[in-house]
Amino acid sequence: MAQTQLQHAREGTITPAMERIADRENRTPEFVREQVASGQAVIPSNHNHESLDPMIIGREFSTKVNANIGNSEETSDLKGELEKLHTAVHYGADTVMDLSTGTNLDEIREANVAHSPVPVGTVPIYEAVKQAESPEDITRDLLVDVIEKQAEQGVDYMTIHAGVLMEHLPLTDGRKTGIVSRGGSILAQWMEENSMQNPLYVAFEELCEIFAEHDVTFSLGDGLRPGCVADAGDEAQYAELETLGELTRTAWDHGVQVMVEGPGHVPMDQVAENVEKQQEVCDGAPFYVLGPLVTDVAPGYDHITSAIGATEAGRAGAAMLCYVTPKEHLGLPEKEDVREGLAAYRIAAHAADVANDLPGARDWDDALSEARYQFDWRRQFDLALDPERAQSYHDQTLPGDNYKEARFCSMCGVEFCSMRIDQDARDADGEMTAIEDETDLSESLAAETNLPPVGTHDTSRVPEKIEIDGVTFTPESSHADD
């Protein structure tokens, strides 16, 4: 039986995945192995995910970003989901979660795994509900069967809401927004209707055996996370967290990798406290946070309200940030929403890494600042987080090639450009000396995720073509071949 990355690491074995990660993170393979062996980092890497380019999630490495994709009953199809997948990978997603709840779940999941160079996550209880047709009719055997099937399909990590217990449910009674996790609400309804303990908690050791066989990583779900800032840090949230700490240790005993999911909606002043408490309760297992949103007043802009909280969470030690798109609370994200959400969260992750003084993390900032000061517009575009967006905004007012050499943009114009004025002053005979700094990114100690371009993955094992309804697409662009 094949071993998990955790089992290999404990035995002192450096796997090919660890070697690849060491290269991407600019760390030694031995450091990678030690972090995995201690449970402080995870390498989501199902044995059956053949197109995977291995990556690592842990607070000692660059902060990672997850993009949620998936269809619903109302909208989206396989083509649309693959377009979202490739948009997410292109704009820098380190992992993707297929949260599909509509039709063709197996087809979409298998296509995502086959065509994704990044780890793919799922929430299996969604499919269990679809099969049972109502939450109260789910059985333990159905849950286990769905989870085992998804593991066999190559899913790298799964959100398992095993920490929501019957005794926790009364603790939610005084909340403003009750239980906002889909998985948490489904299980709460099941326990209320059946007067039995959470079947995922009861079957947890059986799930550990399945996960160990395929090397699936647990993402222990926060089914009682706060859905508004008023509910943050309440008894229900922290009671579930204590159970997640217990389950983390159980999974480790079975040689299974674990990360723990976190809130949610949290006021700015409580974000670091949430991270620190999770690290204490869960013995340093990687923390994977949704946002958190630091205010509830901005529907349509929740990629911004949540990126503020995500930056603070990353600075405090969260290992992976789950993006939020502008559509959060309003509708199913489309391709452009995925792009906007990823931009906000790549900024948050990078800002956290700079704040935490990760080796080389600021080199990218320095290189772009130097290009900006030198009016090297083309290099500015190349170094931008989203080069296409940066050039598009510049060219809306100054589109000609001659303006790529200009010592101004349309914001200040020639007369009031401060950098031109500063350069002219330094060029004149006086007290100010010329600035000639140049950062060589090829020599940077930064991890790949802290160097341009974002979305750099080894796609050599990803199928070159996708055929849907007789039309062929390329994974890189998701546009039909001419």
Side-chain angles (χ1 to χ4, degrees), residues 205-455:
E205 294 206 54
E206 186 175 355
L207 301 184
C208 287
E209 294 174 3
I210 295 170
F211 279 40
E213 180 181 354
H214 301 279
D215 200 1
V216 178
T217 297
F218 275 111
S219 187
L220 294 178
D222 53 339
L224 299 182
R225 65 176 178 266
C228 61
V229 295
D231 295 340
D234 67 358
E235 285 187 88
Q237 178 191 340
Y238 285 145
E240 181 187 22
L241 181 60
E242 292 290 339
T243 306
L244 298 183
E246 167 201 326
L247 295 173
T248 295
R249 290 180 283 276
T250 299
W252 283 343
D253 288 343
H254 286 77
V256 177
Q257 301 183 94
V258 184
M259 56 184 171
V260 177
E261 297 184 16
H265 293 241
V266 180
M268 187 73 169
D269 61 304
Q270 297 179 30
V271 173
E273 172 191 329
N274 269 256
V275 177
E276 291 159 7
K277 188 172 183 64
Q278 181 275 340
Q279 292 289 276
E280 176 186 353
V281 172
C282 299
D283 296 337
F287 201 23
Y288 163 34
V289 296
L290 174 66
L293 285 77
V294 295
T295 180
D296 300 328
V297 301
Y301 300 93
D302 279 337
H303 61 309
I304 299 173
T305 59
S306 62
I308 294 169
T311 305
E312 176 66 359
R315 188 200 62 80
M320 185 160 75
L321 313 174
C322 182
Y323 86 164
V324 172
T325 77
K327 286 275 188 70
E328 187 76 10
H329 302 112
L330 300 172
L332 186 73
E334 303 297 338
K335 275 182 62 177
E336 190 60 24
D337 304 308
V338 170
R339 178 181 184 177
E340 294 287 340
L342 273 166
Y345 273 72
R346 285 259 56 103
I347 294 167
H350 180 70
D353 289 345
V354 171
N356 288 331
D357 199 25
L358 260 67
R362 209 193 71 188
D363 290 348
W364 184 3
D365 302 76
D366 291 348
L368 195 145
S369 296
E370 291 156 12
R372 179 174 289 146
Y373 184 76
Q374 295 161 7
F375 296 102
D376 188 341
W377 293 103
R378 290 184 175 85
R379 180 154 174 77
Q380 276 194 68
F381 302 149
D382 289 343
L383 290 174
L385 181 82
D386 185 340
E388 297 94 342
R389 175 67 56 85
Q391 181 164 351
S392 172
Y393 279 3
H394 172 272
D395 290 358
Q396 283 176 12
T397 50
L398 299 174
D401 283 346
N402 57 309
Y403 290 115
K404 303 299 189 296
E405 313 296 333
R407 297 175 68 210
F408 65 93
C409 70
S410 63
M411 185 171 186
C412 296
V414 180
E415 184 177 358
F416 288 97
C417 178
S418 59
M419 289 189 179
R420 181 198 61 76
I421 294 169
D422 182 78
Q423 284 182 8
D424 289 348
R426 292 178 187 279
D427 289 342
D429 292 333
E431 298 296 321
M432 301 170 71
T433 59
I435 297 173
E436 298 180 352
D437 291 339
E438 184 173 351
T439 300
D440 184 357
L441 293 183
S442 67
E443 297 296 321
S444 175
L445 297 176
E448 273 187 15
T449 55
N450 277 318
L451 293 173
V454 299

